[in-house]
Amino acid sequence: MKMVLLGPPGSGKGTRAHIISDLYHIPVVTTGDMLREAVRDETEYGKIAEGYMNKGDLVPDKIVNGIVRERLGKPDVKDGFILDGFPRSKSQADALDMILDDLGIELTHVLYVVLSDDVIIQRLSKRRSCPKCGAVYHLESAPPKQEGICDVCGAKLIQRDDDKEEVIQHRLEVYRKQTEPLLKRYRDKGIVVETSGEVPMDELRAHLKKLLG
Ligand code: AP5
């Protein structure tokens, strides 16, 4: 399975990516997490990316395309991967086609997560994230076992800077303008599988297994 996850910010792409990874034993490649790591490590790219991310804008292609190309060249993605957060624009989709062509890989699925803006805003304002391992929680629907602590690695959970309401609104606008049009491109290829972002958390694993086979 060589999959792209498409959907608005906060629709549950990351949550699904981790379940699918566990079901099919394939790695998740999340551009958002890779960029956040670069920001944390204060790398050259991280310093550039930080301003764009805090405003909810897309980080320049030359940075993002480069990290995706490097990651997809690693041996562990040969038998499958889940791309979460990439591509997000026409130019990134063109770049992905080129990268995959060079590697002799074809996409098999684009999983499109559908969710209304109202629910997205409610979810993101109550999301908590692990800065160390990338695990995602929700204060009501998926709380950690111990308040404020990651179940997976024990790190202290944080609220992302871009999960403030005004930034969420802007991320939604960027998504509608730049990312949503990609759906047509992948629909034309016949590889889009649609799923509702409203499927309850405790049914998600079985739902995805049934949907993806
Ligand atoms: P990124 O980290 O990719 O953020 P995003 O796409 O906006 O998506 P999110 O991580 O916010 O949400 P999600 O859909 O994964 O939802 P989640 O599973 O967490 O990107 C951040 C920034 O990085 C961008 O704005 C940009 O600046 C930059 N960037 C990244 N990629 C880039 C690229 N390719 N090009 C340029 N710039 C790029 O779920 C949300 C919440 O809902 C959680 O609390 C979760 O617990 C809860 N939830 C999930 N599913 C359910 C459910 N079924 N029921 C109840 N609650 C649920």
Side-chain angles (χ1 to χ4, degrees):
M1 183 179 292
K2 280 106 183 175
M3 174 185 281
V4 161
L5 266 169
L6 208 63
S11 55
K13 300 183 298 298
T15 302
R16 279 157 186 74
H18 285 101
I19 295 173
I20 297 167
S21 166
D22 192 49
L23 278 172
Y24 298 94
H25 310 289
I26 48 176
V28 184
V29 176
T30 306
T31 45
D33 284 348
M34 292 194 280
L35 290 166
R36 278 185 285 278
E37 196 180 318
V39 171
R40 252 193 332 273
D41 293 347
E42 299 182 0
T43 66
E44 188 193 337
Y45 284 163
K47 285 179 193 159
I48 301 170
E50 188 172 18
Y52 291 93
M53 295 176 81
N54 287 345
K55 281 194 277 174
D57 283 322
L58 295 187
V59 172
D61 286 350
K62 70 169 185 231
I63 295 181
V64 183
N65 294 351
I67 60 175
V68 171
R69 177 177 282 279
E70 194 188 322
R71 183 63 187 89
L72 291 185
K74 298 257 164 75
D76 65 323
V77 298
K78 271 216 154 40
D79 297 328
F81 55 81
I82 305 152
L83 261 179
D84 171 15
F86 186 94
R88 270 172 136 100
S89 63
K90 182 183 177 303
S91 61
Q92 291 187 7
D94 292 342
L96 179 61
D97 283 351
M98 268 198 289
I99 295 169
L100 295 179
D101 263 3
D102 289 351
L103 295 168
I105 293 174
E106 247 187 80
L107 281 182
T108 58
H109 300 73
V110 171
L111 185 66
Y112 173 48
V113 190
V114 186
L115 195 63
S116 72
D117 289 5
D118 288 352
V119 181
I120 285 172
I121 291 166
Q122 190 276 339
R123 280 196 188 163
L124 287 185
S125 54
K126 293 196 175 163
R127 172 167 64 182
R128 295 297 178 268
S129 312
C130 177
K132 205 169 158 204
C133 72
V136 175
Y137 302 87
H138 185 273
L139 293 182
E140 285 160 9
S141 61
K145 292 189 184 96
Q146 193 187 338
E147 198 185 322
I149 302 294
C150 179
D151 293 349
V152 182
C153 71
K156 205 169 160 214
L157 299 178
I158 57 151
Q159 181 169 31
R160 275 168 43 178
D161 285 340
D162 59 351
D163 279 349
K164 297 181 194 116
E165 188 164 341
E166 64 278 14
V167 184
I168 298 170
Q169 293 284 7
H170 183 62
R171 286 163 62 198
L172 283 166
E173 283 162 26
V174 171
Y175 170 78
R176 301 280 173 232
K177 206 168 152 202
Q178 304 208 49
T179 312
E180 204 171 55
L182 297 182
L183 253 184
K184 181 174 178 333
R185 177 184 186 123
Y186 292 122
R187 281 212 167 108
D188 289 347
K189 290 190 177 186
I191 55 172
V192 174
V193 181
E194 211 167 296
T195 176
S196 164
E198 302 260 22
V199 177
M201 213 60 120
D202 56 354
E203 294 170 20
L204 211 44
R205 197 179 163 92
H207 164 81
L208 288 168
K209 202 169 172 191
K210 197 168 163 207
L211 187 70
L212 299 171

